[in-house]
Amino acid sequence: MTRPPTAAQRRVIDAADPVTGRLRGTESQLAALVKRELAFRHPRPPHDHFLTPAGHRIREETATPTASSPQAAEPAREPARESSGVFAARVGGEEGIDAGPSRIREVHSAWQGLLELRRMTNPHGVVDRPCAWERTHLVQAAALALEAAGHRPAGADTEGYRVRATPQPEAVAVRGPDAGALRECAATLEQAGWQVGEHTEPRTGARYLLASPRRI
């Protein structure tokens, strides 16, 4: 069984950029995380260090309330809201949707960070298809692509897109208020490197998108 990270290593992991996973720490701390396969050193200058999928999982587990915590005793709400100070794309259904200038700047910065992560981690530095981080954070990645393109997420009482996980591997479902909005979401996701197909729910007849990160 792998030993858990030390307290110092956890602090480095917790302080990683929430979108790109870029790390800051001493050379010895970063080298120790690389040795434990929780981080990798980018081969191109400036040779920054980034969390691996395993490192991202540890970071998320650290931020998740335990079963004994007061937060865990509350009824689950879908979708989960972002923790204070940590960016999270709007997946649709949140209360108090903020579409002001500060939110627009945050979304733009997060999208640029994600493109940089693609450049640094995809083979040959391509940015036209999703990277490994997106494949392990499907709902957040698809929602970020939509929000960054200017699509409005659904609020508690307002219409908009909704992105949800599905039982299918590497696929999310995207729903919209009407056929036109759904087509616009499909075009945005395809441009962001996703494969998109339109489907009909058998029981309700409602149309929705099934989107998967493109590999080629």
Side-chain angles (χ1 to χ4, degrees):
M1 180 176 177
T2 306
R3 288 185 300 108
T6 65
Q9 290 169 347
R10 275 195 175 276
R11 285 194 292 272
V12 173
I13 291 172
D14 292 343
D17 185 282
V19 175
T20 65
R22 185 177 301 201
L23 294 163
R24 291 287 182 270
T26 66
E27 285 299 322
S28 60
Q29 287 173 329
L30 297 174
L33 291 174
V34 170
K35 185 176 182 180
R36 302 180 68 162
E37 299 183 348
L38 299 176
F40 68 92
R41 182 175 183 266
H42 198 273
R44 292 197 293 270
H47 302 298
D48 284 330
H49 289 72
F50 297 84
L51 291 176
T52 62
H56 274 290
R57 284 194 294 272
I58 286 178
R59 186 179 186 279
E60 290 161 3
E61 288 167 4
T62 303
T64 301
T66 62
S68 60
S69 69
Q71 294 94 329
E74 297 179 1
R77 293 184 178 91
E78 186 179 342
R81 302 178 192 175
E82 67 266 37
S83 301
S84 176
V86 178
F87 175 85
R90 305 296 193 194
V91 302
E94 297 92 344
E95 297 178 4
I97 294 295
D98 174 19
S102 62
R103 178 65 186 180
I104 292 172
R105 287 193 297 270
E106 286 180 355
V107 172
H108 175 76
S109 177
W111 178 247
Q112 292 304 311
L114 185 55
L115 291 179
E116 178 66 7
L117 184 61
R118 288 184 179 188
R119 185 186 71 80
M120 290 185 294
T121 59
N122 276 341
H124 311 297
V126 298
V127 297
D128 62 350
R129 63 175 177 265
C131 61
W133 182 89
E134 292 170 271
R135 297 178 192 282
T136 58
H137 299 76
L138 294 170
V139 172
Q140 277 288 325
L144 176 55
L146 293 173
E147 192 176 1
H151 297 279
R152 186 172 180 81
D157 301 307
T158 57
E159 293 186 333
Y161 69 76
R162 294 175 185 267
V163 185
R164 297 292 184 267
T166 73
Q168 300 189 38
E170 288 207 353
V172 295
V174 180
R175 293 172 174 81
D178 54 54
L182 211 56
R183 284 194 297 270
E184 292 173 358
C185 286
T188 291
L189 289 171
E190 287 171 352
Q191 188 174 5
W194 294 66
Q195 285 183 217
V196 184
E198 193 169 332
H199 300 265
T200 303
E201 292 182 350
R203 289 189 296 176
T204 65
R207 301 292 288 173
Y208 68 98
L209 304 177
L210 201 62
S212 302
R214 185 164 55 83
R215 289 189 176 277
I216 298 174

